[in-house]
Amino acid sequence: GEKMRPNKDIRDAVEEKGFRLWELAEALGLSSDAALSRKLRRELPNDQKEHIFRTIDRMVERRKEM
């Protein structure tokens, strides 16, 4: 069967909201999207995921203000 990509929920959320992974990396204060991609290679613990989803929400809010 098809292997689930780790953190597919995060990747989907970013795409769904029309962002790029590098924009999320920047919002998370990571040095590069490569650093984020490395992080996403393994399924993240829920507390980290929640932090990332909150960050995505903040990015959406910020975009509305622009």
Side-chain angles (χ1 to χ4, degrees), residues 30-48:
L30 294 169
S31 52
S32 66
D33 53 336
L36 179 61
S37 295
R38 254 198 315 277
K39 209 173 161 61
L40 292 179
R41 265 181 217 160
R42 289 192 187 83
E43 198 63 35
L44 290 170
N46 279 333
D47 57 335
Q48 284 190 36

Side-chain angles (χ1 to χ4, degrees), residues 2 5 8 10 13-14 22 25 28 31 33 37-39 44 53-55 59 61 64-65:
E2 192 178 314
R5 282 179 82 193
K8 187 175 184 313
I10 292 171
V14 171
W22 67 263
L28 288 168
S31 52
D33 53 336
S37 295
R38 254 198 315 277
K39 209 173 161 61
L44 290 170
F53 283 122
R54 276 199 301 274
T55 302
M59 288 162 70
E61 287 305 310
K64 284 184 201 149
E65 289 160 16

